[in-house]
Amino acid sequence: MSELQSIDKNYVSNTYARFPVEIVSGKGSEVYDDTGKRYIDMGSGIGVTSFGIADEGWCNAVTAQLGKVQHMSNLYYTEPCALLAKLLCERTGMKKVFFGNSGAEANECSIKVARKWAAEKKGAEYSTIITLWNSFHGRTLTTLAATGQDHYHELFQPLTPGFVHVHAEDLAELEETIKANKTAALMLECVQGEGGVVTLSREYLEGAAKLCKENDILLIIDEVQTGNGRTGKLYSYMHYDVQPDLVSTAKGLGGGLPLGACLMGEKVQSVLGFGDHGSTFGGNPVCCAGALSIMERLDDAFLADVQAKAEKARNAFTGAKGIESVCGLGLMIGLKTAKPAGDVVKRCNEKGVLCLTAKDKVRLLPALNIPEDVLMEAVEIIKEVCAED
Ligand SMILES: *Cc1c(COP(=O)(O)O)cnc(C)c1O
């Protein structure tokens, strides 16, 4: 272990099992460790660095804003925050944006809006939020309660009450649960990222959206991981014929700086008023300037290219030795491998490719602008690793 690694082990809270790799520099989808070894980055900081490391356009936008005003608080207007909110609304048809700093906070905002909406419209007891088993919505005590995976809950009781979980793909269970509870909203991911890159079927999501309408409850879509071009559409719900009332997003939105957003649709646009919610850092001008430089480039032609590259990678994996199935949407790729996913990722590290796991899958979230030849170089290395005895 290097000296830096042992300092980190001694002083940084033990919550992460880090790989024995120290990354010191990079450009685009290629990064280098302290020994000069090159890696292809197929994780992009868990879907955060949408245009890779040190992207020129993003760096210019961020550093230009950094040299003007780095932070002013939400007591004053700043340009990047306003322009980003406008762009997000124009591109989605949503009406208002609340900015926070993370995915968990974006979901907290969606949950608060849903509870206040239901309390005002239906009565304070209409506070139940339904989420899916196997979901992941964050690490705060409320978003943990929303997360439908018991092992995250055990050590942190009591969690925020009012969350009920249902099984994905079971519309009958969803309908019963909506009716059995005083329900405010349904919250779900179109592709469960941490849950193993599990994509909801069209029949289920569109059926669930219909049930929300019929029962006058809100549909919240957690686009923290799937949003901002990741799946080849601007937001993953756009692959389906559904209109969410609330969209939470973060991860790739800021391109590498902390930024989360809760997008509010027509029905809920006026739910929050002065003093109902807030965030000291939320809408920070530097983070928003970076996000603007990302969002402005996610046009239809760019997203079509994301889909085309993803298709090529998916086709190359399909049927390869040691790969049992390929799942996910766009550049959110899950691989069910014959060998344990953790072993595949470890071996890929040795061979110069950084990958992620999600449950029992190998998970790939490369930068959206990864050049096709670099992507396919990584694909070939991953295939070699999967095929090794
Ligand atoms: C990562 C993630 C979160 C939590 O985001 P943080 O920024 O870590 O708080 C919430 N929901 C989904 C779907 C995620 O993938």
Side-chain angles (χ1 to χ4, degrees):
M1 190 183 291
S2 75
E3 194 188 338
L4 182 110
Q5 289 178 30
S6 85
I7 293 171
D8 187 294
K9 270 243 176 310
N10 278 331
Y11 293 106
V12 176
S13 170
N14 262 322
T15 54
Y16 303 110
R18 298 198 205 281
F19 291 102
V21 175
E22 179 195 346
I23 300 298
V24 294
S25 67
K27 192 73 195 163
S29 289
E30 295 166 68
V31 295
Y32 297 88
D33 72 11
D34 55 330
T35 70
K37 180 177 164 183
R38 167 187 179 263
Y39 299 84
I40 300 175
D41 181 8
M42 294 292 282
S44 65
I46 319 189
V48 165
T49 48
S50 304
F51 282 80
I53 301 295
D55 170 72
E56 205 182 321
W58 182 84
C59 283
N60 287 343
V62 165
T63 52
Q65 184 59 42
L66 206 46
K68 288 187 202 160
V69 171
Q70 83 274 31
H71 177 82
M72 269 313 291
S73 88
N74 282 304
L75 297 174
Y76 310 97
Y77 294 99
T78 52
E79 184 179 77
C81 172
L83 295 185
L84 179 61
K86 177 170 183 268
L87 186 68
L88 286 169
C89 288
E90 284 171 355
R91 296 291 305 276
T92 60
M94 303 299 272
K95 302 295 181 200
K96 289 258 193 299
V97 183
F98 179 87
F99 290 113
N101 314 289
S102 67
E105 283 172 286
N107 281 330
E108 290 265 348
C109 181
S110 290
I111 292 163
K112 285 177 85 169
V113 171
R115 288 233 167 120
K116 187 169 181 226
W117 174 83
E120 286 173 347
K121 183 150 195 240
K122 309 208 276 188
E125 68 281 19
Y126 281 79
S127 59
T128 301
I129 313 273
I130 300 172
T131 67
L132 300 186
W133 289 114
N134 198 47
S135 57
F136 184 84
H137 297 296
R139 301 283 195 162
T140 62
L141 287 170
T142 296
T143 55
L144 268 187
T147 293
Q149 303 192 52
D150 285 337
H151 67 97
Y152 285 110
H153 296 170
E154 281 149 15
L155 301 173
F156 304 106
Q157 298 294 323
L159 302 177
T160 306
F163 289 88
V164 175
H165 313 300
V166 296
H167 295 89
E169 306 301 336
D170 188 340
L171 286 170
E173 185 192 3
L174 175 60
E175 185 165 17
E176 278 164 31
T177 306
I178 292 172
K179 296 200 156 123
N181 292 276
K182 302 225 182 290
T183 304
L186 168 68
M187 176 157 103
L188 46 74
E189 305 149 88
C190 300
V191 186
Q192 295 183 326
E194 303 304 313
V197 199
V198 181
T199 309
L200 295 184
S201 71
R202 175 173 297 281
E203 188 190 14
Y204 181 73
L205 184 54
E206 293 177 3
K210 194 161 157 264
L211 284 175
C212 289
K213 263 214 182 88
E214 286 167 7
N215 292 280
D216 197 24
I217 68 168
L218 300 176
L219 176 61
I220 306 172
I221 301 198
D222 179 345
E223 296 267 7
V224 173
Q225 191 162 153
T226 50
N228 314 301
R230 171 57 51 196
T231 67
K233 299 264 189 195
L234 194 61
Y235 291 96
S236 65
Y237 75 81
M238 295 171 175
H239 289 279
Y240 303 81
D241 185 17
V242 298
Q243 184 52 56
D245 299 297
L246 289 152
V247 172
S248 315
T249 191
K251 287 198 168 88
L253 175 63
L257 286 172
L259 183 64
C262 167
L263 316 187
M264 303 165 203
E266 187 121 40
K267 242 193 253 177
V268 295
Q269 60 177 313
S270 307
V271 169
L272 294 184
F274 292 127
D276 282 342
H277 197 35
S279 166
T280 300
F281 285 114
N284 170 277
V286 178
C287 300
C288 287
L292 262 175
S293 125
I294 302 281
M295 296 305 294
E296 279 166 353
R297 284 183 276 171
L298 298 183
D299 59 20
D300 290 347
F302 182 88
L303 293 171
D305 185 54
V306 167
Q307 297 218 23
K309 277 187 299 198
E311 200 57 36
K312 203 149 182 199
R314 284 164 185 284
N315 287 338
F317 284 129
T318 303
K321 187 177 173 207
I323 297 178
E324 292 169 359
S325 59
V326 185
C327 57
L329 271 179
L331 284 178
M332 184 170 181
I333 301 174
L335 304 174
K336 177 83 188 77
T337 54
K339 284 189 282 197
D343 294 355
V344 172
V345 170
K346 204 164 154 232
R347 182 79 181 115
C348 284
N349 268 357
E350 289 166 10
K351 298 188 75 161
V353 177
L354 302 178
C355 314
L356 307 165
T357 59
K359 286 264 177 88
D360 61 340
K361 309 276 178 40
V362 173
R363 175 176 41 156
L364 309 175
L365 303 171
L368 304 180
N369 67 344
I370 187 170
E372 191 173 302
D373 58 328
V374 179
L375 174 67
M376 296 315 286
E377 184 187 344
V379 168
E380 287 311 313
I381 293 168
I382 296 164
K383 280 171 65 179
E384 273 168 38
V385 167
C386 291
E388 282 172 358
D389 294 316

